[in-house]
């Protein structure tokens, strides 16, 4: 590959950070193309755990240039803390990190509005992280947002912030929230990070196009998952950006013809955080067992994830929307101790097969999964380094996943570390 997109193929938390970290060893540039600090990528390097919210996972590979594209909304204080934390842990960032001048900022009033609006929904909460992501994207679409390039002009910055403060205070008052936004306070806080952010500003699209023209390799990193896409996800229980591969080109500023491959990342089971239907969701006792074995707690919020069995309808839908050329299956090892594993191959409603993935959450909530039962392998897979070393039952389960997803499996994860990633040769017979 010369330009590869890595996309989550479920409801997020699939292990994209680890896959990006592994593939970044071959990349000259890794660029994030959407989302904000509501994402959390956990990467292990030997015995060291790194949790990243904005900076691409490729930053842990010393020869990789990392970019935040124009499709990302950036909380500058979170970014500054991440930079400081990585430097304190010995990661050299000098000349290795850039932010698109067209990227929008997440500001304190976005967080206030996010929390106030979520509270106002009452029982109809959608499960936002409260990080201000939705309100920041709303300002972007309304053409009232503050972009990184604006930070070079203090007067322009104040003008934008002052207008936003007026609108935010009207909204807060309407929601019955007593808190208010003060322009001077926001400007004072911005001044703490403005110079550092200006120094990071770049034209991400130019860098990527130039890197490809010079023979480099580029990896475009998504956040969240395909089923959280604002257009193609389980609306309204979605994020505020385009998480699918179609958003990768526009999210970094390149043409779609420069993209060669799209790798979808799935867990060997499935999870989601927050509200919304999850057809294959496990009963609580079994869910808690899988949650503990898989460490299924949000890297950003710490919230417990809702586990379910692998859902092929979700994966097939994600493959179609994204145009996957391959799959990476992570966390196979989490299933090592299960005597039986279930796999949902499709849905029914009142005994009638469902032909395609529902576009309404009301319809999705009505489906009944059609399960296959597969024997577990009762063997520790974390020491396996080739596909042939995996237990036969695990290989057969993966072969069935490949079959029902109609997408070739390229990687299998059997642990959190880099070395616990098995590359599957193209054309290999999984059985």
């Amino acid at each position: 590959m010369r330009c590869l997109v890595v996309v989550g193929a479920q409801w997020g938390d699939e292990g994209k950070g680890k896959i990006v970290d592994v593939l970044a060893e071959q990349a000259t540039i890794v660029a994030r193309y959407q989302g904000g600090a509501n994402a959390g990528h956990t990467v292990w390097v030997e015995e060291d755990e790194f949790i990243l919210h904005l900076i691409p996972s490729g930053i842990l590979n010393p020869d990789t240039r990392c970019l935040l594209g124009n499709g990302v909304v950036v909380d500058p204080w979170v970014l500054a803390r991440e930079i400081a934390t990585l430097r304190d842990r010995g990661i050299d960032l000098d000349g290795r990190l850039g932010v698109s001048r067209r990227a929008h900022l997440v500001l304190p009033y976005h967080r206030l509005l996010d929390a106030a609006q979520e509270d106002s929904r009452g029982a109809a909460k959608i499960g936002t992280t409260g990080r201000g992501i939705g309100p920041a994207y709303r300002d972007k679409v309304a053409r009232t947002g503050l972009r990184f390039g604006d930070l070079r002009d203090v007067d322009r910055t104040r003008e934008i912030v002052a207008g936003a403060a007026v609108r935010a205070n009207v909204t807060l008052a309407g929601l019955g929230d007593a808190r208010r936004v003060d322009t001077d306070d926001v400007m004072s806080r911005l001044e703490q990070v403005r110079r550092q952010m200006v120094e990071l500003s770049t034209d991400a699209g130019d860098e990527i196009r130039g890197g490809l023209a010079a023979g480099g390799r580029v990896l475009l990193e998504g956040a969240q998952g395909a089923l959280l896409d604002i257009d193609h996800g389980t609306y309204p229980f979605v994020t505020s950006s385009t998480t699918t591969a179609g958003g990768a080109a526009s999210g970094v500023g390149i043409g779609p013809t420069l993209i060669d491959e799209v790798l979808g990342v799935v867990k060997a089971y499935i999870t989601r955080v927050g509200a919304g239907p999850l057809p294959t969701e496990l009963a609580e006792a079994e869910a808690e067992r899988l949650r503990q074995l898989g460490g299924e707690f949000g890297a950003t919020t710490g919230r417990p994830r809702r586990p379910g069995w692998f859902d092929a309808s979700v994966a097939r839908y994600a493959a179609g929307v994204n145009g996957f050329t391959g799959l990476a299956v992570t966390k196979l090892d989490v299933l090592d101790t299960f005597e039986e594993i279930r796999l949902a191959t499709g849905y029914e409603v009142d005994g009638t097969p469902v032909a395609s993935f529902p576009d309404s959450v009301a319809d999705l909530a009505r489906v009944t999964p059609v399960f296959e039962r597969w024997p577990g392998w009762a063997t520790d897979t974390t020491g396996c380094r080739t596909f042939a070393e995996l237990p036969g039952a695990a290989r057969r389960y993966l072969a069935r996943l490949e079959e029902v997803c109609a997408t070739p499996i390229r990687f299998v994860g059997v642990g959190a570390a880099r070395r616990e990633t098995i590359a599957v040769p193209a054309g290999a017979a999984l059985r």
Side-chain angles (χ1 to χ4, degrees), residues 76-396:
W77 298 276
V78 171
L79 181 58
R81 287 196 298 271
E82 270 193 38
I83 290 170
T85 298
L86 287 171
R87 283 182 169 148
D88 287 346
R89 297 185 64 180
I91 304 299
D92 180 13
L93 275 70
D94 290 346
R96 297 187 52 230
L97 180 63
V99 181
S100 170
R101 286 190 286 271
R102 295 178 174 87
H104 282 247
L105 281 85
V106 178
L107 296 167
Y109 47 81
H110 293 132
R111 286 176 173 263
L112 283 179
L113 290 168
D114 203 355
Q117 288 161 349
E118 182 74 347
D119 287 344
S120 74
R121 293 186 176 103
K125 286 181 171 62
I126 60 174
T128 174
T129 61
R131 299 305 198 266
I133 308 305
Y137 274 115
R138 185 170 57 221
D139 277 2
K140 174 179 178 176
V141 174
R143 293 161 288 183
T144 58
L146 181 70
R147 305 201 299 179
F148 261 71
D150 296 322
L151 292 175
R152 294 173 293 184
D153 185 336
V154 176
D155 291 338
R156 170 69 174 156
T157 297
R158 173 173 280 275
E159 178 185 349
I160 293 170
V161 169
V166 171
R167 290 185 294 274
N169 287 335
V170 170
T171 302
L172 289 168
L175 292 171
D177 194 304
R179 294 172 294 181
R180 295 294 181 266
V181 179
D182 180 76
T183 298
D184 289 336
D185 176 63
V186 176
M187 290 300 297
S188 175
R189 294 174 65 182
L190 265 177
E191 196 55 37
Q192 299 168 8
V193 294
R194 188 178 68 83
R195 187 179 301 276
Q196 183 181 20
M197 297 301 117
V198 169
E199 290 174 352
L200 290 173
S201 299
T202 186
D203 189 316
D206 271 355
E207 283 204 40
I208 293 170
R209 291 188 297 271
L212 288 169
R217 292 184 172 187
V218 174
L219 198 161
L220 305 181
E221 175 188 69
Q224 289 89 31
L227 274 292
L228 294 174
D229 184 271
I230 186 66
D231 289 310
H232 304 291
T234 48
Y235 191 90
F237 303 103
V238 294
T239 192
S240 302
S241 59
T242 299
T243 65
T244 46
S250 61
V252 297
I254 64 172
T257 53
L258 292 179
I259 294 172
D260 300 308
E261 294 193 51
V262 181
L263 181 70
V265 185
V266 295
K267 279 191 280 215
Y269 47 98
I270 200 167
T271 62
R272 76 173 300 170
V273 173
L278 180 62
T280 65
E281 188 164 10
L282 292 167
E284 187 49 39
E286 206 167 26
E288 184 60 20
R289 177 188 175 192
L290 198 151
R291 188 181 294 122
Q292 293 297 331
L293 286 170
E296 296 297 350
F297 300 89
T300 297
T301 64
R303 290 185 294 179
R305 297 172 185 148
R306 298 160 53 198
W309 295 115
F310 190 92
D311 189 329
S313 293
V314 165
R316 284 195 300 270
Y317 174 68
V321 169
N322 289 279
F324 292 151
T325 57
L327 282 180
V329 180
T330 64
K331 291 197 167 185
L332 182 71
D333 57 297
V334 175
L335 302 180
D336 283 352
T337 60
F338 282 80
E339 293 182 3
E340 181 182 82
I341 297 164
R342 280 179 280 168
L343 161 63
T345 58
Y347 300 146
E348 290 180 347
V349 173
D350 299 329
T352 301
V354 176
S356 59
F357 190 81
D359 53 29
S360 159
V361 291
D363 290 341
L364 185 61
R366 294 178 58 230
V367 304
T368 300
V370 178
F371 282 112
E372 293 179 349
R373 297 176 181 270
W374 287 78
W377 38 93
T379 304
D380 182 1
T381 60
T382 58
C384 299
R385 295 295 175 266
T386 67
F387 193 81
E389 292 175 354
L390 290 171
R395 294 199 305 271
R396 288 187 287 275

Side-chain angles (χ1 to χ4, degrees), residues 405-425:
C405 296
T407 307
I409 292 175
R410 296 289 183 241
F411 300 93
V412 177
V414 291
R418 286 175 177 171
R419 65 181 180 276
E420 293 170 331
T421 306
I422 297 170
V424 182

